[in-house]
Amino acid sequence: MTGMPPLDLNLATRPLRNRRLYKALAGGLALLIAVLAGLSLFVFLKYGGEAARLKASGIAAKATQDQARGEQRQLAANIRKAESAGRERVELVNGIILKKTFLWTALFSELEQALPGPSYLTALTPTFLADGSVAMHIRVTSRSLEEFMTFIDNLTARGFKNIQVGDETRSDEGRLIMEIDLRYERAL
């Protein structure tokens, strides 16, 4: 027995302790820390790269948005310029259409029905207004002031607006000649 070391059986000075549980817990804790460190590194690398890509994508989206805003302002300016350039032509065409669709027979029929028997029109000057109505300057010849007042009342009853009596003169035959300004609002 010479090759074997002597057994240290003095348990009183160095008692034998069961440290396996503590060593297993320390090893498990070290393993858990290592796993958590690896997992943290994985999450940092994965989502850190994704965050950088998202940040770059956000910057690109902001640049695209700024470019789109600039294009929108440019297009709005172009639209305003084209609109102002074409406005005169559109108004001209609308005026032609308005004059073309105007029912002159309806106007003359209304005036004829409003005129008392012996009165008659000697002048009619129409002006088309933007709202679709027609401003007119007319000259009426009547025998008396009563006939003329009847004509004014008939015009009012037929829906003529803004009736204003202007100059009054007498003809060589003694007939009363009156100038009238009024508006005729037609139904479209």
Side-chain angles (χ1 to χ4, degrees):
M1 292 216 165
T2 56
M4 279 189 135
L7 283 175
D8 189 13
L9 293 177
N10 185 2
L11 295 177
T13 56
R14 290 186 7 212
L16 193 60
R17 299 205 193 316
N18 187 3
R19 296 188 175 137
R20 276 188 247 156
L21 176 67
Y22 298 116
K23 287 182 183 179
L25 285 176
L29 186 61
L31 181 66
L32 181 65
I33 289 173
V35 167
L36 288 177
L39 188 60
S40 298
L41 183 63
F42 171 75
V43 167
F44 176 75
L45 291 176
K46 179 180 178 186
Y47 293 112
E50 192 171 321
R53 282 191 301 276
L54 286 175
K55 186 175 181 180
S57 174
I59 291 171
K62 185 170 180 358
T64 304
Q65 186 179 26
D66 290 342
Q67 181 182 2
R69 282 190 186 129
E71 289 176 6
Q72 180 183 11
R73 283 190 295 273
Q74 181 66 32
L75 287 173
N78 290 345
I79 287 170
R80 282 191 299 275
K81 188 190 321 179
E83 186 179 82
S84 65
R87 182 172 292 134
E88 287 182 27
R89 290 177 56 191
V90 168
E91 288 175 1
L92 174 67
V93 170
N94 284 342
I96 291 170
I97 291 171
L98 180 67
K99 290 174 186 174
K100 184 79 172 160
T101 60
F102 185 75
L103 298 174
W104 289 102
T105 55
L107 171 65
F108 289 129
S109 176
E110 291 287 333
L111 288 172
E112 182 180 5
Q113 291 173 6
L115 274 171
S119 299
Y120 54 91
L121 295 178
T122 56
L124 173 81
T125 308
T127 304
F128 289 91
L129 302 176
D131 63 356
S133 63
V134 179
M136 289 183 284
H137 178 80
I138 60 176
R139 189 176 308 132
V140 179
T141 303
S142 299
R143 286 189 301 187
S144 66
L145 186 58
E146 290 79 30
E147 286 180 7
F148 180 72
M149 293 308 295
T150 302
F151 178 60
I152 297 293
D153 291 338
N154 290 344
L155 286 175
T156 304
R158 296 204 173 286
F160 287 87
K161 307 277 188 213
N162 300 340
I163 301 171
Q164 297 174 352
V165 178
D167 292 339
E168 172 187 334
T169 58
R170 291 265 180 200
S171 69
D172 293 338
E173 298 88 36
R175 294 180 71 80
L176 182 63
I177 301 171
M178 298 289 275
E179 306 270 338
I180 304 173
D181 291 315
L182 54 93
R183 271 178 74 164
Y184 175 66
E185 296 178 0
R186 66 187 178 115
L188 293 176

Coordinates of all heavy atoms in Angstrom, one line a residue, residues 80-146:
R80 N -53.7 76.2 -61.6 CA -54.2 77.6 -61.5 C -53.8 78.4 -62.7 O -54.6 79.2 -63.2 CB -53.6 78.2 -60.2 CG -54.3 77.8 -58.9 CD -53.8 78.7 -57.7 NE -52.4 78.6 -57.5 CZ -51.8 77.7 -56.7 NH1 -52.6 76.7 -56.2 NH2 -50.5 77.7 -56.5
K81 N -52.6 78.2 -63.2 CA -52.2 78.9 -64.4 C -53.0 78.5 -65.6 O -53.5 79.4 -66.3 CB -50.7 78.6 -64.7 CG -50.2 79.5 -65.8 CD -48.8 79.2 -66.4 CE -47.8 78.7 -65.4 NZ -46.5 78.4 -66.1
A82 N -53.3 77.2 -65.8 CA -54.1 76.8 -66.9 C -55.5 77.3 -66.7 O -56.2 77.6 -67.7 CB -54.0 75.3 -67.0
E83 N -56.0 77.2 -65.5 CA -57.4 77.7 -65.2 C -57.6 79.2 -65.6 O -58.5 79.6 -66.2 CB -57.7 77.4 -63.8 CG -59.1 77.7 -63.4 CD -59.4 77.4 -61.9 OE1 -59.1 78.2 -61.1 OE2 -59.9 76.3 -61.7
S84 N -56.6 80.0 -65.2 CA -56.7 81.4 -65.4 C -56.5 81.7 -66.9 O -57.2 82.6 -67.5 CB -55.7 82.2 -64.6 OG -54.4 81.9 -65.0
A85 N -55.7 80.9 -67.6 CA -55.5 81.1 -69.1 C -56.8 80.7 -69.8 O -57.1 81.3 -70.8 CB -54.3 80.3 -69.5
G86 N -57.4 79.6 -69.4 CA -58.6 79.1 -70.1 C -59.9 79.8 -69.7 O -60.9 79.5 -70.3
R87 N -59.9 80.6 -68.6 CA -61.1 81.1 -68.1 C -61.8 82.0 -69.1 O -63.0 81.9 -69.2 CB -60.8 81.9 -66.8 CG -62.1 82.5 -66.2 CD -61.8 83.1 -64.8 NE -61.5 82.1 -63.9 CZ -60.5 82.1 -63.0 NH1 -59.7 83.2 -63.0 NH2 -60.2 81.1 -62.2
E88 N -61.1 82.8 -69.8 CA -61.7 83.7 -70.8 C -62.4 82.9 -71.9 O -63.5 83.2 -72.3 CB -60.7 84.7 -71.4 CG -60.2 85.8 -70.5 CD -59.2 86.7 -71.1 OE1 -59.3 86.8 -72.3 OE2 -58.4 87.3 -70.4
R89 N -61.7 81.9 -72.3 CA -62.3 81.0 -73.4 C -63.5 80.3 -72.9 O -64.5 80.2 -73.6 CB -61.2 80.0 -73.9 CG -60.1 80.7 -74.7 CD -59.0 79.8 -75.1 NE -59.6 78.7 -75.9 CZ -59.0 77.6 -76.3 NH1 -57.7 77.5 -75.9 NH2 -59.5 76.7 -77.0
V90 N -63.5 79.8 -71.7 CA -64.6 79.1 -71.1 C -65.8 80.1 -71.0 O -66.9 79.8 -71.3 CB -64.2 78.5 -69.8 CG1 -65.5 78.0 -69.0 CG2 -63.3 77.4 -70.0
E91 N -65.5 81.3 -70.5 CA -66.6 82.3 -70.3 C -67.2 82.7 -71.7 O -68.4 82.9 -71.8 CB -66.1 83.5 -69.6 CG -65.8 83.3 -68.1 CD -65.2 84.4 -67.4 OE1 -65.0 85.5 -68.0 OE2 -64.9 84.3 -66.2
L92 N -66.3 82.8 -72.7 CA -66.8 83.1 -74.0 C -67.7 82.0 -74.6 O -68.8 82.2 -75.0 CB -65.6 83.3 -75.0 CG -66.0 83.5 -76.5 CD1 -66.7 84.8 -76.7 CD2 -64.7 83.4 -77.3
V93 N -67.3 80.7 -74.4 CA -68.1 79.6 -74.9 C -69.4 79.5 -74.1 O -70.4 79.3 -74.6 CB -67.3 78.3 -74.8 CG1 -68.1 77.0 -75.0 CG2 -66.1 78.3 -75.8
N94 N -69.3 79.7 -72.7 CA -70.5 79.7 -71.9 C -71.5 80.8 -72.3 O -72.7 80.6 -72.4 CB -70.2 79.8 -70.4 CG -69.6 78.5 -69.9 OD1 -69.8 77.4 -70.5 ND2 -68.9 78.6 -68.8
G95 N -70.9 81.9 -72.7 CA -71.8 83.0 -73.1 C -72.5 82.7 -74.4 O -73.7 83.0 -74.6
I96 N -71.7 82.1 -75.3 CA -72.3 81.7 -76.6 C -73.4 80.6 -76.4 O -74.5 80.7 -77.0 CB -71.2 81.1 -77.6 CG1 -70.3 82.3 -78.0 CG2 -71.8 80.4 -78.8 CD1 -69.0 81.8 -78.7
I97 N -73.1 79.7 -75.5 CA -74.1 78.6 -75.3 C -75.4 79.3 -74.6 O -76.5 78.9 -75.0 CB -73.5 77.5 -74.3 CG1 -72.5 76.7 -75.1 CG2 -74.6 76.6 -73.8 CD1 -71.7 75.8 -74.2
L98 N -75.2 80.2 -73.7 CA -76.3 80.9 -73.0 C -77.1 81.6 -74.0 O -78.3 81.5 -74.0 CB -75.7 81.8 -71.9 CG -76.8 82.6 -71.2 CD1 -77.6 81.7 -70.3 CD2 -76.1 83.6 -70.3
K99 N -76.5 82.3 -74.9 CA -77.2 83.1 -75.9 C -77.9 82.2 -76.9 O -79.0 82.5 -77.4 CB -76.2 84.0 -76.7 CG -75.8 85.2 -75.8 CD -74.7 86.0 -76.5 CE -74.2 87.1 -75.5 NZ -73.1 87.8 -76.1
K100 N -77.3 81.1 -77.2 CA -77.8 80.1 -78.2 C -79.1 79.4 -77.6 O -80.0 79.1 -78.3 CB -76.8 79.1 -78.5 CG -77.2 78.1 -79.6 CD -77.1 78.7 -80.9 CE -77.3 77.6 -82.0 NZ -77.7 78.1 -83.2
T101 N -79.1 79.2 -76.3 CA -80.2 78.5 -75.7 C -81.3 79.4 -75.2 O -82.3 79.0 -74.7 CB -79.7 77.6 -74.5 OG1 -79.1 78.5 -73.5 CG2 -78.8 76.5 -74.9
F102 N -81.1 80.7 -75.3 CA -82.0 81.7 -74.8 C -83.3 81.6 -75.7 O -83.2 81.6 -77.0 CB -81.4 83.1 -74.9 CG -82.4 84.1 -74.3 CD1 -82.5 84.2 -72.9 CD2 -83.1 85.0 -75.1 CE1 -83.4 85.1 -72.3 CE2 -83.9 85.9 -74.5 CZ -84.1 86.0 -73.1
L103 N -84.4 81.5 -75.1 CA -85.7 81.5 -75.8 C -86.3 82.9 -76.1 O -87.0 83.4 -75.2 CB -86.7 80.6 -75.1 CG -86.3 79.1 -74.9 CD1 -87.3 78.4 -74.0 CD2 -86.2 78.4 -76.2
W104 N -85.9 83.4 -77.2 CA -86.4 84.8 -77.5 C -87.9 84.8 -77.7 O -88.5 85.8 -77.3 CB -85.7 85.3 -78.8 CG -84.3 85.5 -78.6 CD1 -83.2 84.8 -79.0 CD2 -83.7 86.7 -78.0 NE1 -82.0 85.3 -78.6 CE2 -82.3 86.5 -78.0 CE3 -84.2 87.8 -77.4 CZ2 -81.4 87.5 -77.5 CZ3 -83.3 88.8 -76.9 CH2 -82.0 88.6 -76.9
T105 N -88.5 83.8 -78.2 CA -89.9 83.8 -78.3 C -90.6 83.9 -77.0 O -91.7 84.5 -76.9 CB -90.4 82.5 -79.1 OG1 -89.9 81.3 -78.4 CG2 -89.9 82.5 -80.5
A106 N -90.1 83.2 -76.0 CA -90.7 83.3 -74.6 C -90.6 84.7 -74.1 O -91.6 85.2 -73.5 CB -90.0 82.3 -73.7
L107 N -89.4 85.4 -74.3 CA -89.3 86.8 -73.8 C -90.3 87.7 -74.6 O -91.0 88.5 -73.9 CB -87.9 87.3 -74.1 CG -87.6 88.8 -73.8 CD1 -87.9 89.1 -72.4 CD2 -86.3 89.2 -74.3
F108 N -90.3 87.6 -75.9 CA -91.2 88.4 -76.6 C -92.7 88.2 -76.3 O -93.5 89.1 -76.3 CB -90.9 88.4 -78.1 CG -89.6 89.0 -78.5 CD1 -88.7 88.3 -79.3 CD2 -89.3 90.3 -78.1 CE1 -87.5 88.9 -79.6 CE2 -88.1 90.9 -78.5 CZ -87.2 90.2 -79.2
S109 N -93.0 86.9 -76.1 CA -94.4 86.5 -75.7 C -94.7 87.2 -74.3 O -95.8 87.7 -74.2 CB -94.5 85.0 -75.6 OG -95.8 84.7 -75.1
E110 N -93.8 87.2 -73.4 CA -94.0 87.8 -72.1 C -94.2 89.3 -72.2 O -95.1 89.9 -71.6 CB -92.9 87.5 -71.1 CG -92.7 86.1 -70.7 CD -93.8 85.7 -69.7 OE1 -94.3 86.5 -68.9 OE2 -94.1 84.5 -69.7
L111 N -93.4 89.9 -73.0 CA -93.5 91.4 -73.2 C -94.8 91.7 -74.0 O -95.5 92.7 -73.6 CB -92.3 91.9 -74.0 CG -91.0 91.9 -73.3 CD1 -89.8 92.3 -74.2 CD2 -91.0 92.9 -72.1
E112 N -95.2 90.9 -74.9 CA -96.4 91.2 -75.7 C -97.6 91.1 -74.8 O -98.5 91.9 -74.9 CB -96.5 90.2 -76.9 CG -97.7 90.4 -77.7 CD -97.8 89.4 -78.9 OE1 -97.0 88.5 -78.9 OE2 -98.7 89.6 -79.7
Q113 N -97.6 90.0 -73.9 CA -98.8 89.9 -73.0 C -98.8 91.0 -72.0 O -99.9 91.3 -71.5 CB -98.7 88.5 -72.3 CG -98.9 87.4 -73.3 CD -98.7 86.0 -72.7 OE1 -98.5 85.9 -71.5 NE2 -98.8 85.0 -73.5
A114 N -97.6 91.6 -71.6 CA -97.6 92.6 -70.6 C -98.0 94.0 -71.2 O -98.5 94.9 -70.5 CB -96.2 92.7 -70.0
L115 N -97.8 94.2 -72.5 CA -98.1 95.4 -73.2 C -99.7 95.7 -73.3 O -100.4 94.8 -73.8 CB -97.5 95.5 -74.6 CG -96.1 96.0 -74.7 CD1 -95.6 95.8 -76.1 CD2 -96.0 97.4 -74.3
P116 N -100.1 96.8 -72.9 CA -101.6 97.1 -73.1 C -101.8 97.3 -74.7 O -100.8 97.6 -75.4 CB -101.8 98.4 -72.4 CG -100.6 98.6 -71.5 CD -99.5 97.8 -72.1
G117 N -103.0 97.1 -75.1 CA -103.3 97.1 -76.5 C -102.7 98.2 -77.4 O -102.0 97.9 -78.3
P118 N -102.9 99.5 -77.1 CA -102.3 100.5 -78.1 C -100.9 100.8 -77.8 O -100.3 101.6 -78.6 CB -103.2 101.7 -77.8 CG -103.8 101.5 -76.5 CD -103.8 100.0 -76.2
S119 N -100.2 100.2 -76.8 CA -98.8 100.5 -76.6 C -97.9 99.6 -77.4 O -98.3 98.5 -77.8 CB -98.4 100.3 -75.1 OG -99.2 101.2 -74.3
Y120 N -96.7 100.0 -77.7 CA -95.7 99.1 -78.4 C -94.3 99.5 -78.0 O -94.0 100.5 -77.5 CB -96.0 99.2 -79.9 CG -95.9 100.6 -80.5 CD1 -94.7 101.2 -80.9 CD2 -97.1 101.4 -80.6 CE1 -94.7 102.5 -81.4 CE2 -97.0 102.7 -81.1 CZ -95.8 103.2 -81.5 OH -95.8 104.5 -82.0
L121 N -93.4 98.5 -78.3 CA -92.0 98.7 -78.0 C -91.3 99.3 -79.3 O -91.6 98.9 -80.4 CB -91.3 97.3 -77.8 CG -91.7 96.5 -76.6 CD1 -90.9 95.2 -76.5 CD2 -91.4 97.3 -75.3
T122 N -90.5 100.3 -79.0 CA -89.7 100.9 -80.1 C -88.2 100.5 -80.1 O -87.6 100.7 -81.1 CB -89.9 102.4 -80.1 OG1 -89.5 102.9 -78.9 CG2 -91.3 102.8 -80.4
A123 N -87.7 100.0 -79.0 CA -86.3 99.6 -78.9 C -86.2 98.6 -77.7 O -86.9 98.7 -76.7 CB -85.5 100.8 -78.5
L124 N -85.3 97.7 -78.0 CA -85.0 96.6 -77.0 C -83.5 96.3 -77.1 O -83.0 96.0 -78.1 CB -85.8 95.4 -77.3 CG -85.4 94.2 -76.4 CD1 -86.1 94.3 -75.0 CD2 -85.8 92.9 -77.1
T125 N -82.8 96.5 -76.0 CA -81.3 96.3 -75.9 C -81.1 95.3 -74.8 O -81.1 95.6 -73.6 CB -80.5 97.6 -75.7 OG1 -80.9 98.5 -76.6 CG2 -79.0 97.3 -75.8
P126 N -80.8 94.0 -75.2 CA -80.6 93.0 -74.1 C -79.1 92.9 -73.8 O -78.2 93.1 -74.6 CB -81.1 91.7 -74.7 CG -80.8 91.9 -76.2 CD -81.0 93.3 -76.5
T127 N -78.8 92.5 -72.5 CA -77.4 92.2 -72.1 C -77.5 91.0 -71.2 O -78.2 91.0 -70.2 CB -76.9 93.4 -71.2 OG1 -76.9 94.6 -72.0 CG2 -75.4 93.2 -70.8
F128 N -76.7 90.0 -71.6 CA -76.7 88.7 -70.9 C -75.8 88.9 -69.7 O -74.7 89.3 -69.8 CB -76.2 87.6 -71.7 CG -77.3 87.2 -72.8 CD1 -77.2 87.7 -74.0 CD2 -78.2 86.2 -72.5 CE1 -78.2 87.4 -75.0 CE2 -79.2 85.9 -73.4 CZ -79.1 86.5 -74.7
L129 N -76.3 88.5 -68.5 CA -75.6 88.5 -67.3 C -75.0 87.1 -66.9 O -75.5 86.1 -67.4 CB -76.4 89.1 -66.1 CG -77.1 90.4 -66.4 CD1 -78.0 90.8 -65.3 CD2 -76.0 91.5 -66.6
A130 N -74.0 87.1 -66.0 CA -73.3 85.9 -65.7 C -74.3 84.9 -65.0 O -74.1 83.7 -65.1 CB -72.1 86.2 -64.8
D131 N -75.3 85.4 -64.3 CA -76.2 84.5 -63.6 C -77.3 83.9 -64.4 O -78.1 83.1 -64.0 CB -76.8 85.2 -62.4 CG -77.7 86.4 -62.7 OD1 -77.8 86.7 -63.9 OD2 -78.3 86.9 -61.8
G132 N -77.2 84.2 -65.7 CA -78.2 83.6 -66.7 C -79.4 84.5 -66.9 O -80.2 84.2 -67.8
S133 N -79.5 85.6 -66.2 CA -80.6 86.5 -66.5 C -80.2 87.5 -67.6 O -79.0 87.6 -68.0 CB -81.0 87.3 -65.2 OG -79.9 88.1 -64.7
V134 N -81.2 88.2 -68.0 CA -81.0 89.2 -69.1 C -81.4 90.6 -68.6 O -82.5 90.8 -68.2 CB -81.8 88.8 -70.4 CG1 -81.5 89.8 -71.5 CG2 -81.4 87.4 -70.8
A135 N -80.4 91.5 -68.6 CA -80.8 92.9 -68.3 C -81.2 93.6 -69.6 O -80.5 93.3 -70.7 CB -79.5 93.6 -67.7
M136 N -82.2 94.3 -69.6 CA -82.8 94.9 -70.8 C -83.0 96.4 -70.6 O -83.4 96.8 -69.5 CB -84.1 94.3 -71.2 CG -83.9 92.9 -71.7 SD -85.5 92.2 -72.3 CE -86.2 91.8 -70.7
H137 N -82.8 97.1 -71.7 CA -83.2 98.5 -71.7 C -84.2 98.6 -72.9 O -83.9 98.3 -74.0 CB -81.9 99.4 -72.0 CG -82.3 100.9 -72.2 ND1 -82.5 101.7 -71.1 CD2 -82.5 101.6 -73.3 CE1 -82.8 102.9 -71.5 NE2 -82.8 102.9 -72.8
I138 N -85.4 99.0 -72.5 CA -86.5 99.1 -73.6 C -87.1 100.5 -73.6 O -87.0 101.2 -72.7 CB -87.6 98.0 -73.3 CG1 -88.3 98.2 -72.0 CG2 -87.0 96.6 -73.4 CD1 -89.4 97.3 -71.7
R139 N -87.6 100.8 -74.8 CA -88.3 102.0 -75.0 C -89.7 101.7 -75.4 O -89.9 100.9 -76.3 CB -87.6 102.9 -76.1 CG -88.2 104.3 -76.2 CD -87.5 105.1 -77.2 NE -86.1 105.1 -77.1 CZ -85.2 104.9 -78.1 NH1 -85.7 104.7 -79.3 NH2 -84.0 105.0 -77.8
V140 N -90.7 102.2 -74.6 CA -92.1 101.9 -74.8 C -92.8 103.2 -75.2 O -92.6 104.2 -74.6 CB -92.7 101.3 -73.5 CG1 -94.2 101.0 -73.7 CG2 -92.0 100.1 -73.1
T141 N -93.7 103.0 -76.2 CA -94.5 104.2 -76.6 C -96.0 103.9 -76.2 O -96.5 102.8 -76.6 CB -94.4 104.4 -78.1 OG1 -93.1 104.6 -78.5 CG2 -95.2 105.6 -78.6
S142 N -96.6 104.8 -75.5 CA -98.0 104.6 -75.0 C -98.7 105.9 -75.3 O -98.2 106.9 -75.4 CB -98.0 104.3 -73.5 OG -97.3 103.2 -73.1
R143 N -100.1 105.7 -75.2 CA -100.9 106.9 -75.4 C -101.0 107.7 -74.2 O -101.1 109.0 -74.2 CB -102.3 106.5 -75.8 CG -102.4 106.0 -77.3 CD -103.8 105.8 -77.7 NE -104.5 104.8 -76.8 CZ -105.7 104.3 -77.0 NH1 -106.4 104.6 -78.0 NH2 -106.1 103.4 -76.2
S144 N -101.0 107.0 -73.0 CA -101.2 107.8 -71.8 C -100.3 107.2 -70.6 O -99.8 106.1 -70.8 CB -102.6 107.8 -71.4 OG -103.0 106.4 -71.0
L145 N -100.2 107.9 -69.6 CA -99.5 107.5 -68.4 C -100.2 106.3 -67.8 O -99.5 105.4 -67.2 CB -99.4 108.6 -67.4 CG -98.6 108.3 -66.1 CD1 -97.1 108.0 -66.5 CD2 -98.6 109.5 -65.2
E146 N -101.5 106.2 -67.8 CA -102.3 105.0 -67.3 C -101.9 103.7 -68.0 O -101.7 102.7 -67.4 CB -103.8 105.3 -67.4 CG -104.3 106.3 -66.5 CD -104.1 107.7 -67.0 OE1 -104.0 107.9 -68.2 OE2 -103.9 108.6 -66.2

